[in-house]
Amino acid sequence: MNNPIPTAADARRVAVGAFVGTALEWYDFFLYGTAASLVFNRLFFATDDAVVATAAAFASFAVGFVARPLGGIVFGHLGDRIGRRACLLITVVMIGAVTGVIGLLPGFADIGVAAPILLTLLRLLQGVAVGGEWGGAITLAVEHAPPEQRGRYAAMPQIGSPVGTLLSSGAFLLVALLPPDDFDAWGWRIPFLIAFPLLGVALWLRRRVEESPLFDRLLAEDARASAPVREVVVRAWPALLVGAGSALLGVGGFYLATTFVISYATGDLDLPRPLVLGATLVAAVVEIGVLVLGGRLAERFGSARVTVAGGVASAIVALPMFWLLDTRNAAAVVLGVTVGVAMLSIPYAVSGDLLARLFPARLRYSGIALAANIAGIASGFVPLAATGVLAAAGGSSWAPGLLLVGIALVTVVSGLAAPRLYVSDAEMTVEGVAAPRS
C-alpha cells in the first residue's frame, strides 16, 4: 500500500489552492450581505417602512445560513465517503453559478413578489454550497500540513475571508460611486456578474488540488465511517457543540461588525456609503495580518488558548467600537470597525486548527462542517437580532454592543473546554489514521 507523507511543497500547493478557492467562494457569499444592506432592502423587498424592508433583507440574508447545515450534512457525508477534493469541485461550481444568476434577477418593480422569492431561493442554494465548502477546505489543508506547522496551514483558508471581503466590498465601493439611479438600475449587478469569470479561475485551481493522503489511506483500508454525520451527532456531540461555540465569534461577530454596522452607519447614523465600505476594506487588510499572526501563535501556544484570548479581547472592545461609530467622525469610524474586526479575527484565525483537533480523520469533514454550520445558523441571524435590539433600545448602540459581548463570551467558554475533547496526535497524521472498526 502506498500512502506517501505529504511534502512541504505538496502542503503549500494545497494550502494556496484552498486559500484562493475559498477567497472566491467568500467573495460570492459576502456580496449578498453587502447588497442586503445597500440595495436588496429597496429593490426586492418593497415597503414604505425602512425598518421592515431592512429586516426582510436581513432575513433573506439569514436564509443562507439556515441552509448551510444542509450543505454541511450532504457534503460532510460525501467528503468522508468519496473524498474531500470531489466535494470542493462541486461546491465552487454551485456558488459561482448561483451568484452570477443573482446579478441577472429582475427586481420587485419588474416581476413583483416573485423577485424576493427567487432571490431567497438563490440565497438558499448559496448557503448549501458554502455549508460544504469551508469544512472541506480546512480538512484538506490540515491533512496535508506538516504537524509542526499545522496552525499556519489551517489559517490559509481563513485568509480567504478578508480577501473575499476586500473583493466584494471593493466592488461595491466602486459601483457605489455611480449616480444613485445608475447604481439602482444596473450598477449593483456588476459585482454579481463578475462571479461568472471568477468561477472559471476557481474551478481551474480546484482541479489542481490533490486528494488528502489521510483519506486515501482510509479508502485503502476500508476504514471510512459508514454514516459519518450520524456518528458525529450521536457519539461526538460534545465536540460538536464546543466546536460550534468556538467558531461563533469569528462568524457571527464578523457579520455584526460588518453587515450590521454597514446598515447602522449608513441608515441610523446617515454616514456616506463610501466611508463605511472603505472602513470594512481597511479592516479586511488588517485582518489578513491578524490571521497570519494567529496561525503562528497557535503553533506556539495552542489554538484553544488563542481562542480564549481573542474572545476576551473582543468582549473588551465591543462597546468602544460602537462609541467610535457614534462620533460620526471618519477616522473614528474606520478605527472602530478595524479594531472590532481585528479582535474577533484572533479566534477565527485558529478555528480551523481547533476544529480539526476535535474530530478523527474518518469523521473530520463531517465534524468540521457541522460544527461550523451550527455556528453559522446563529450567525446568520446576528444582523437581524442586532437590528431588533437596536430598535428595542430606542436606537442606542449599547444594545448591539452587548450582543457582541455575549457572542464573545460563548467563544471564550468553548475555547476553555476544547482541549479536553481533542483527539490524539496520532489521529492527525497518516501513520495514525487507521480507525477502529465497528
Side-chain angles (χ1 to χ4, degrees):
M1 179 178 60
N2 182 26
N3 293 109
I5 305 298
T7 65
D10 292 333
R12 285 192 295 270
R13 183 170 60 253
V14 171
V16 170
F19 152 67
V20 175
T22 303
L24 297 179
E25 295 260 4
W26 283 123
Y27 166 79
D28 293 345
F29 199 67
F30 288 162
L31 276 180
Y32 196 102
T34 305
S37 301
L38 298 179
V39 66
F40 289 161
N41 56 334
R42 294 180 293 104
L43 300 186
F44 284 84
F45 299 92
T47 173
D48 293 332
D49 190 324
V51 173
V52 172
T54 299
F58 281 155
S60 72
F61 172 77
V63 164
F65 289 86
V66 174
R68 283 174 62 173
L70 176 60
I73 291 171
V74 171
F75 290 107
H77 175 85
L78 293 175
D80 284 328
R81 291 293 301 168
I82 68 172
R84 286 72 157 117
R85 179 179 178 274
C87 290
L88 291 178
L89 290 172
I90 297 171
T91 58
V92 76
V93 171
M94 279 184 64
I95 195 169
V98 166
T99 302
V101 170
I102 289 176
L104 301 173
L105 195 64
F108 188 91
D110 298 310
I111 58 174
V113 72
I117 292 174
L118 290 173
L119 181 66
T120 303
L121 287 175
L122 290 171
R123 177 62 173 177
L124 191 73
L125 292 176
Q126 263 196 338
V128 171
V130 171
E133 156 64 26
W134 186 80
I138 289 292
T139 301
L140 208 56
V142 167
E143 292 183 348
H144 276 89
E148 69 279 3
Q149 297 181 337
R150 194 174 291 126
R152 71 189 69 182
Y153 283 103
M156 285 292 288
Q158 306 298 72
I159 299 174
S161 173
V163 170
T165 300
L166 283 171
L167 293 173
S168 60
S169 294
F172 259 102
L173 180 61
L174 290 176
V175 297
L177 299 176
L178 292 168
D181 290 344
D182 290 339
F183 176 80
D184 287 351
W186 54 267
W188 70 268
R189 299 180 183 275
I190 294 175
F192 287 91
L193 295 175
I194 291 174
F196 286 128
L198 290 182
L199 171 58
V201 175
L203 188 58
W204 176 74
L205 287 166
R206 281 286 162 84
R207 286 176 61 87
R208 300 180 66 221
V209 172
E210 299 174 358
E211 183 56 87
S212 161
L214 279 76
F215 180 79
D216 283 342
R217 180 162 180 176
L218 287 172
L219 188 63
E221 297 185 354
D222 194 24
R224 295 167 297 166
S226 59
V229 173
R230 179 172 60 83
E231 192 166 337
V232 167
V233 173
V234 173
R235 299 185 181 180
W237 62 266
L240 190 61
L241 294 179
V242 167
S246 70
L248 183 61
L249 177 60
V251 184
F254 177 82
Y255 285 115
L256 195 153
T258 55
T259 300
F260 171 75
V261 161
I262 290 172
S263 175
Y264 173 69
T266 58
D268 296 77
L269 301 182
D270 199 27
L271 292 172
R273 285 183 295 187
L275 168 62
V276 183
L277 291 173
T280 65
L281 292 178
V282 174
V285 172
V286 172
E287 185 184 5
I288 293 173
V290 173
L291 294 176
V292 172
L293 176 62
R296 300 300 178 92
L297 291 175
E299 294 170 4
R300 182 171 181 179
F301 300 106
S303 54
R305 290 179 181 175
V306 177
T307 296
V308 172
V312 171
S314 291
I316 291 172
V317 305
L319 288 171
M321 178 182 73
F322 280 96
W323 296 339
L324 289 169
L325 291 173
D326 290 343
T327 67
R328 292 181 169 86
N329 176 272
V333 168
V334 173
L335 178 62
V337 174
T338 300
V339 171
V341 171
M343 294 303 102
L344 62 87
S345 297
I346 296 173
Y348 185 68
V350 302
S351 181
D353 182 56
L354 188 150
L355 289 174
R357 293 176 182 273
L358 289 172
F359 303 99
R362 63 199 294 268
L363 305 176
R364 186 163 293 138
Y365 197 141
S366 296
I368 292 176
L370 287 175
N373 288 309
I374 289 172
I377 293 177
S379 299
F381 287 95
V382 165
L384 183 60
T387 301
V389 298
L390 180 69
S396 177
S397 64
W398 63 262
L402 288 180
L403 178 61
L404 181 55
V405 171
I407 292 171
L409 293 180
V410 171
T411 291
V412 168
V413 172
S414 300
L416 292 171
R420 301 179 184 181
L421 300 171
Y422 280 173
V423 300
S424 66
D425 288 341
E427 285 280 7
M428 304 295 294
T429 65
V430 174
E431 292 89 341
V433 76
R437 298 178 184 274
S438 56

